[in-house]
Amino acid sequence: MNRGRQIRISVSAAVLSGLLVYGVYLLQMRQIRLTETTEVVVPKQFVPAGTSLGREMLTKLRLPSGAVTGEMIVDMDEADGLESSVPLGGGEPLLRWKLDKFRLLPRVGEATFQVPRDYVKSVSSGIRAGDRAIVYLSAEDGASRRLFAEPVVVAAVKTASNQEIDNPKSSNLLSMAEGDKERMYASRRDANGNIDAVNLNLTEAQWLELDTACKDGKSKLIVAFDASSFESGEAAGS
């Protein structure tokens, strides 16, 4: 009886000893991982929203590998040329969602179309590049209707001299990126000219629908500012 008890005690002690050794091993491995570091890309100093990043503005910072996430940029070449969608702090790891490239260019499956002047009946005077617009069709021989179900992105709004419509002292795009709704509103009141041409990012199907509806001259477009443009700016600053 005593011998059996001694065997059980010995086995239990061996198991506990093995668990202790394994626990120490796990702690050591965790400590090793914590001491390992990875280089991430950071700005050398504060970067305002809407700024195009160059290599001279960036540096590398070592962080514990466990603190590095997949959203952080580790390759300087990847960050070079990207544009800040929100303000970036000096020494702050660059996160991909805070950066973009060619924000006004069309997405995959889209192209940028300049809407012919004779297709347009009216354009909201406050519309600017980067906004979202709702496009309506006003017909002479039928009821007016909304042309596209979803708002479309405005790629450019030009004057007759081919200048981008904006407030030179307070850029709408920068105000939008920073989520400053007051400056966004103010920038639309002090424009540098009258709207002469509007470029929209459209899919092929959208452009063909628009062109088919307007080319006979019996229907014209009304391009209206969509409030979601302000909501997008607010989200960028949050």
Side-chain angles (χ1 to χ4, degrees), residues 23-235:
V24 171
Y25 166 76
L26 291 179
L27 288 174
Q28 289 176 336
M29 292 301 297
R30 182 184 179 188
Q31 188 64 30
I32 290 172
R33 284 196 295 270
L34 289 175
T35 57
E36 290 179 345
T37 59
T38 300
E39 285 189 334
V40 298
V41 182
V42 301
K44 292 180 180 178
Q45 56 190 20
F46 174 78
V47 176
T51 302
S52 181
L53 300 177
R55 295 180 68 90
E56 72 282 356
M57 304 167 61
L58 306 171
T59 187
K60 291 286 193 76
L61 177 70
R62 286 194 171 274
L63 292 179
S65 296
V68 177
T69 68
E71 274 293 304
M72 295 182 184
I73 295 179
V74 297
D75 186 352
M76 192 82 75
D77 290 335
E78 181 182 352
D80 188 20
L82 292 179
E83 184 177 321
S84 57
S85 300
V86 297
L88 305 173
E92 170 191 331
L94 291 181
L95 302 178
R96 289 183 177 85
W97 70 267
K98 294 184 177 182
L99 304 169
D100 205 346
K101 194 165 189 174
F102 312 130
R103 289 186 297 149
L104 298 182
L105 289 186
R107 296 172 296 181
V108 175
E110 294 181 338
T112 300
F113 296 90
Q114 179 168 317
V115 181
R117 291 187 192 89
D118 56 351
Y119 283 12
V120 179
K121 184 174 184 178
S122 70
V123 178
S124 172
S125 62
I127 209 165
R128 298 291 181 266
D131 286 349
R132 294 166 65 83
I134 303 174
V135 182
Y136 295 91
L137 192 67
S138 177
E140 293 181 359
D141 54 357
S144 298
R145 63 182 176 88
R146 184 166 176 165
L147 187 60
F148 306 130
E150 299 295 330
V152 297
V153 173
V154 179
V157 185
K158 301 286 189 176
T159 65
S161 59
N162 202 38
Q163 287 186 318
E164 187 69 38
I165 297 283
D166 206 350
N167 178 352
K169 297 180 180 179
S170 179
S171 167
N172 173 68
L173 280 175
L174 292 182
S175 302
M176 180 184 292
E178 293 173 353
D180 192 331
K181 295 174 73 171
E182 291 184 2
R183 283 176 56 199
M184 286 174 67
Y185 176 74
S187 70
R188 293 160 198 273
R189 298 186 60 183
D190 300 317
N192 56 350
N194 295 318
I195 297 175
D196 182 70
V198 175
N199 289 5
L200 303 177
N201 290 341
L202 305 173
T203 64
E204 181 178 293
Q206 286 175 323
W207 165 252
L208 293 175
E209 182 181 358
L210 183 154
D211 188 52
T212 300
C214 298
K215 64 184 179 181
D216 63 0
K218 295 181 179 179
S219 300
K220 291 187 180 293
L221 302 176
I222 296 175
V223 183
F225 173 77
D226 183 59
S228 66
S229 303
F230 272 81
E231 294 169 4
S232 299
E234 187 175 44

